[in-house]
Amino acid sequence: KNFSPCMNVSWLIKVKNFLLLLESLLNDTELTDSEIADDGLIYEPLNVGDTLFMGKYDDKDIEWQVLEVENDQALVISQDAICMKEFNMSNRLADWKTSAIREWLNNEFYLYSFDSTERTRIVSTSVNNSYYSVNDYIFLMDESEANLYFDSG
Protein backbone atom coordinates (compact mmCIF):
# COMPACT_ATOMS: atom_id res chain seq x y z
CA LYS A 1 0.00 0.00 0.00
CA ASN A 2 1.05 3.56 -0.66
CA PHE A 3 0.28 5.89 2.22
CA SER A 4 -0.02 9.64 2.06
CA PRO A 5 2.65 11.45 4.02
CA CYS A 6 1.56 13.10 7.24
CA MET A 7 2.05 16.82 7.60
CA ASN A 8 3.74 17.95 10.80
CA VAL A 9 4.56 21.49 9.73
CA SER A 10 3.77 25.06 10.63
CA TRP A 11 0.86 26.75 8.89
CA LEU A 12 0.52 30.18 7.31
CA ILE A 13 -2.24 32.74 7.48
CA LYS A 14 -2.54 36.38 6.49
CA VAL A 15 -3.99 38.68 9.10
CA LYS A 16 -5.02 42.28 9.02
CA ASN A 17 -1.93 44.21 10.05
CA PHE A 18 -2.76 45.21 13.59
CA LEU A 19 -1.96 44.25 17.15
CA LEU A 20 -4.06 45.40 20.05
CA LEU A 21 -2.53 48.61 21.34
CA LEU A 22 -2.75 48.64 25.10
CA GLU A 23 -0.03 51.23 25.80
CA SER A 24 -2.13 54.08 24.44
CA LEU A 25 -4.92 53.17 26.79
CA LEU A 26 -2.56 52.91 29.75
CA ASN A 27 -0.83 56.20 28.91
CA ASP A 28 -4.05 58.10 28.13
CA THR A 29 -2.61 58.94 24.71
CA GLU A 30 -5.08 60.73 22.46
CA LEU A 31 -6.00 58.63 19.45
CA THR A 32 -7.28 59.57 16.03
CA ASP A 33 -10.34 57.93 14.47
CA SER A 34 -8.04 56.12 12.00
CA GLU A 35 -6.45 54.24 14.91
CA ILE A 36 -9.78 52.91 16.15
CA ALA A 37 -11.05 49.88 14.23
CA ASP A 38 -14.64 49.08 13.33
CA ASP A 39 -14.89 46.84 16.39
CA GLY A 40 -14.01 49.77 18.67
CA LEU A 41 -10.64 48.31 19.65
CA ILE A 42 -7.36 50.17 19.27
CA TYR A 43 -4.55 48.67 17.21
CA GLU A 44 -0.98 49.27 16.13
CA PRO A 45 0.85 47.89 13.11
CA LEU A 46 2.68 44.57 13.19
CA ASN A 47 6.31 44.39 12.11
CA VAL A 48 8.39 41.56 10.67
CA GLY A 49 9.60 39.37 13.55
CA ASP A 50 6.75 40.30 15.91
CA THR A 51 4.84 37.48 17.54
CA LEU A 52 1.17 37.35 18.41
CA PHE A 53 -1.20 34.86 19.96
CA MET A 54 -4.35 34.08 18.04
CA GLY A 55 -6.50 30.96 18.19
CA LYS A 56 -6.33 27.83 20.30
CA TYR A 57 -5.74 24.17 19.54
CA ASP A 58 -6.23 21.51 22.22
CA ASP A 59 -6.80 24.37 24.69
CA LYS A 60 -3.33 25.83 23.97
CA ASP A 61 -2.83 29.32 22.60
CA ILE A 62 -1.30 29.39 19.12
CA GLU A 63 1.72 31.66 18.72
CA TRP A 64 2.37 33.17 15.28
CA GLN A 65 5.43 35.01 13.95
CA VAL A 66 5.23 37.78 11.36
CA LEU A 67 7.17 36.88 8.20
CA GLU A 68 6.14 39.75 5.94
CA VAL A 69 4.11 42.93 6.09
CA GLU A 70 2.57 44.35 2.94
CA ASN A 71 0.07 47.20 2.97
CA ASP A 72 -2.58 46.31 5.55
CA GLN A 73 -1.76 42.59 5.77
CA ALA A 74 0.83 40.52 7.61
CA LEU A 75 1.84 37.00 6.63
CA VAL A 76 2.30 34.95 9.80
CA ILE A 77 3.47 31.41 10.48
CA SER A 78 2.69 29.26 13.50
CA GLN A 79 5.72 29.03 15.76
CA ASP A 80 5.17 25.33 16.35
CA ALA A 81 3.82 22.40 14.41
CA ILE A 82 0.34 22.33 15.91
CA CYS A 83 -0.68 18.78 15.07
CA MET A 84 0.01 15.97 12.66
CA LYS A 85 -2.41 15.38 9.78
CA GLU A 86 -2.26 13.44 6.54
CA PHE A 87 -1.90 15.50 3.39
CA ASN A 88 -4.43 13.24 1.72
CA MET A 89 -6.67 10.50 3.10
CA SER A 90 -6.59 8.19 0.07
CA ASN A 91 -3.90 6.52 -2.00
CA ARG A 92 -4.63 8.69 -5.02
CA LEU A 93 -2.29 11.49 -6.00
CA ALA A 94 -3.42 14.80 -4.53
CA ASP A 95 -2.38 18.38 -4.95
CA TRP A 96 -3.09 21.22 -2.54
CA LYS A 97 -6.46 22.00 -4.17
CA THR A 98 -7.83 18.49 -3.53
CA SER A 99 -5.91 17.64 -0.35
CA ALA A 100 -7.51 16.52 2.89
CA ILE A 101 -5.26 18.86 4.90
CA ARG A 102 -6.54 21.89 2.95
CA GLU A 103 -10.14 20.87 3.61
CA TRP A 104 -9.45 20.35 7.33
CA LEU A 105 -7.43 23.56 7.80
CA ASN A 106 -9.96 25.81 6.09
CA ASN A 107 -13.04 24.28 7.67
CA GLU A 108 -12.70 22.43 11.00
CA PHE A 109 -9.47 24.07 12.18
CA TYR A 110 -10.49 27.56 11.03
CA LEU A 111 -13.96 27.37 12.58
CA TYR A 112 -13.04 25.70 15.88
CA SER A 113 -9.62 27.20 16.61
CA PHE A 114 -10.46 30.88 16.07
CA ASP A 115 -13.29 32.83 17.64
CA SER A 116 -15.52 35.04 15.51
CA THR A 117 -13.45 38.19 16.14
CA GLU A 118 -10.22 36.40 15.20
CA ARG A 119 -11.82 35.02 12.04
CA THR A 120 -12.65 38.56 10.90
CA ARG A 121 -8.94 39.38 11.02
CA ILE A 122 -7.86 36.40 8.90
CA VAL A 123 -7.67 37.35 5.23
CA SER A 124 -8.66 35.00 2.43
CA THR A 125 -5.47 34.46 0.42
CA SER A 126 -5.06 33.35 -3.19
CA VAL A 127 -2.86 30.24 -3.35
CA ASN A 128 -1.60 29.80 -6.91
CA ASN A 129 0.45 27.40 -8.95
CA SER A 130 0.69 26.82 -12.68
CA TYR A 131 -2.42 24.57 -12.68
CA TYR A 132 -4.93 26.26 -10.40
CA SER A 133 -5.70 29.11 -8.05
CA VAL A 134 -7.69 28.70 -4.84
CA ASN A 135 -8.59 31.04 -1.98
CA ASP A 136 -7.79 29.85 1.53
CA TYR A 137 -7.70 31.23 5.04
CA ILE A 138 -4.96 28.85 6.14
CA PHE A 139 -2.34 27.28 3.91
CA LEU A 140 1.01 25.50 3.93
CA MET A 141 4.26 27.13 2.91
CA ASP A 142 5.58 26.02 -0.47
CA GLU A 143 9.25 25.51 -1.34
CA SER A 144 9.73 29.01 -2.78
CA GLU A 145 8.27 30.60 0.37
CA ALA A 146 10.50 28.46 2.59
CA ASN A 147 13.55 29.59 0.61
CA LEU A 148 12.42 33.22 0.78
CA TYR A 149 11.72 33.40 4.50
CA PHE A 150 14.21 30.90 5.96
CA ASP A 151 17.91 30.39 5.46
CA SER A 152 18.29 27.12 3.59
CA GLY A 153 22.06 26.99 3.97
Side-chain angles (χ1 to χ4, degrees):
K1 267 188 167 178
N2 293 325
F3 291 98
S4 299
C6 289
M7 304 304 294
N8 191 14
V9 296
S10 294
W11 303 328
L12 295 167
I13 60 175
K14 278 192 179 175
V15 295
K16 292 180 183 170
N17 181 20
F18 296 106
L19 265 179
L20 187 57
L21 180 67
L22 296 174
E23 283 182 26
S24 292
L25 291 175
L26 296 173
N27 298 331
D28 290 330
T29 304
E30 205 163 308
L31 300 166
T32 66
D33 288 341
S34 64
E35 294 174 299
I36 302 173
D38 294 338
D39 57 12
L41 297 175
I42 302 161
Y43 297 90
E44 72 177 8
L46 291 167
N47 296 299
V48 172
D50 286 351
T51 59
L52 65 142
F53 288 90
M54 191 168 76
K56 288 184 178 288
Y57 189 78
D58 283 343
D59 290 325
K60 294 179 187 164
D61 291 333
I62 303 171
E63 185 176 9
W64 304 87
Q65 181 179 7
V66 178
L67 295 177
E68 177 181 277
V69 175
E70 187 174 317
N71 300 320
D72 66 342
Q73 297 177 1
L75 178 67
V76 298
I77 187 169
S78 60
Q79 287 286 91
D80 298 307
I82 298 169
C83 72
M84 191 171 191
K85 292 283 183 189
E86 286 187 321
F87 185 82
N88 196 38
M89 302 300 283
S90 70
N91 292 332
R92 68 179 172 83
L93 186 61
D95 55 21
W96 174 250
K97 183 178 180 178
T98 61
S99 68
I101 190 76
R102 176 178 178 252
E103 176 73 22
W104 181 80
L105 284 171
N106 286 280
N107 290 294
E108 288 176 54
F109 180 75
Y110 174 73
L111 292 171
Y112 297 112
S113 294
F114 301 100
D115 64 33
S116 60
T117 301
E118 291 169 329
R119 286 194 302 272
T120 65
R121 291 190 174 78
I122 299 174
V123 178
S124 179
T125 302
S126 181
V127 179
N128 304 299
N129 74 17
S130 55
Y131 303 106
Y132 59 82
S133 176
V134 293
N135 289 315
D136 292 320
Y137 293 108
I138 305 168
F139 52 99
L140 302 178
M141 181 177 287
D142 66 20
E143 183 179 6
S144 65
E145 289 166 322
N147 290 330
L148 178 65
Y149 298 114
F150 298 100
D151 181 17
S152 59

